[in-house]
Structure formats: structure tokens, C-alpha cells
Amino acid sequence: MTMSTADVTAARDGQDGNVGSSGGPRSSRPKHRTFTREYKMRILDQYEAAPGPQERNALLRREGIYSAYITEWRRLRDRAASGPAPEEKKPGRPGKSQAEAENERLRKENERLAAKLTKTEAALEIMGKVHALLETLSESADSEKNHKK
């Protein structure tokens, strides 16, 4: 399928409906939202003050938030109310201790040096064989010279 110049221009300018105003391929995707503490507490208060599930659901729809946010915000509020919060872990892998980092560095260096040693030993073995070959050739050349005389 070929595209005309008009099609290419329309696609580049975002007129085909697939590309958003910023021009990127993912510009039409929703942006990650962040909520202030005040907003969270206000919505929680409104949610808990709602008399029934219909009103609660209407609040969630109106604000464009999920019920999982309410659960998470309650948990955070209750944890904060129960006293000083324990130090929260960062998401992802735990960091390495200094000893583990040093161990890792030394292990990599050891692997690098072992590979270098293997190459050096192979080169020395080849050089030894080349030396023996050249010595044999030299001896045969000398014997041929002596034989011709």
C-alpha cells in the first residue's frame, strides 16, 4: 500500500486521529496522575460521608478515580494516624551493601583476568609451536646446505 503526500502530511500533522497534539506515538495515552495529600483527604472524607454505594460510585466516576485509590489512601491515613511511620522501603531490588558491591567488583575483575590469562597461555603455546617449527625448518635447511657441499 502506498501513501500519498497528503496522507503523509496529515499523519505528521496529527490529522489522522492516531497521533495526538504532541506528535508522539503515545501522546494519546493517559498521563500518570498525582494527587496532593489535601485532595486525597477531601475525597476520602466525601467518600466516607456518602450515605450509600450509589453516591460513592458517583463520586469515583465524577473524580475519575478507582476504588483501589480509596483503599490505598485509607491505609496510608490509618498508618499515619497510628504514630510515626516506619521507614518505607523503596520499590525494586534492595541495594547492595558495600561488602557485596566490593565482592561483585572483585569477582568481575577475577573473571576478566582469568580470560586474559587463558588468552596469554594460548598465545604462548602457539609461540612455542612456531618456535619449534622454525627450529625444525632451520635445521633442515642447514642439513640441506651441508648435504650439497
Side-chain angles (χ1 to χ4, degrees):
M1 181 172 133
T2 60
M3 292 181 71
S4 69
T5 307
D7 293 336
V8 172
T9 305
R12 185 181 57 229
D13 294 340
Q15 296 172 357
D16 63 346
N18 293 330
V19 180
S21 60
S22 67
R26 296 184 182 186
S27 61
S28 63
R29 294 180 74 185
K31 303 294 183 248
H32 179 74
R33 294 172 54 189
T34 56
F35 303 101
T36 63
R37 183 173 177 1
E38 293 77 25
Y39 176 80
K40 293 175 185 179
M41 292 303 112
R42 181 173 53 84
I43 296 299
L44 261 180
D45 290 341
Q46 289 177 10
Y47 186 84
E48 291 172 346
Q54 291 85 6
E55 292 82 6
R56 289 179 182 155
N57 291 333
L59 172 67
L60 294 177
R61 282 191 304 274
R62 184 178 69 240
E63 295 297 325
I65 59 175
Y66 298 103
S67 60
Y69 284 134
I70 299 295
T71 305
E72 177 67 16
W73 296 347
R74 273 187 187 146
R75 187 180 59 77
L76 291 172
R77 180 193 60 192
D78 295 344
R79 189 184 319 153
S82 66
E87 197 171 307
E88 200 167 307
K89 291 183 179 180
K90 293 180 182 177
R93 291 184 184 175
K96 293 181 180 178
S97 69
Q98 193 172 12
E100 288 173 335
E102 180 70 6
N103 247 356
E104 180 71 15
R105 185 188 67 77
L106 291 173
R107 185 187 58 73
K108 286 181 181 179
E109 183 180 0
N110 190 15
E111 288 174 358
R112 181 182 58 81
L113 291 173
K116 188 175 180 180
L117 177 64
T118 303
K119 287 179 186 177
T120 303
E121 287 174 341
L124 284 173
E125 184 179 337
I126 291 170
M127 290 300 292
K129 290 179 180 180
V130 167
H131 177 66
L133 177 64
L134 288 174
E135 206 170 80
T136 305
L137 288 174
S138 176
E139 288 173 0
S140 69
D142 287 344
S143 68
E144 282 182 18
K145 282 183 186 178
N146 290 338
H147 189 345
K148 286 186 180 180
K149 285 185 178 180

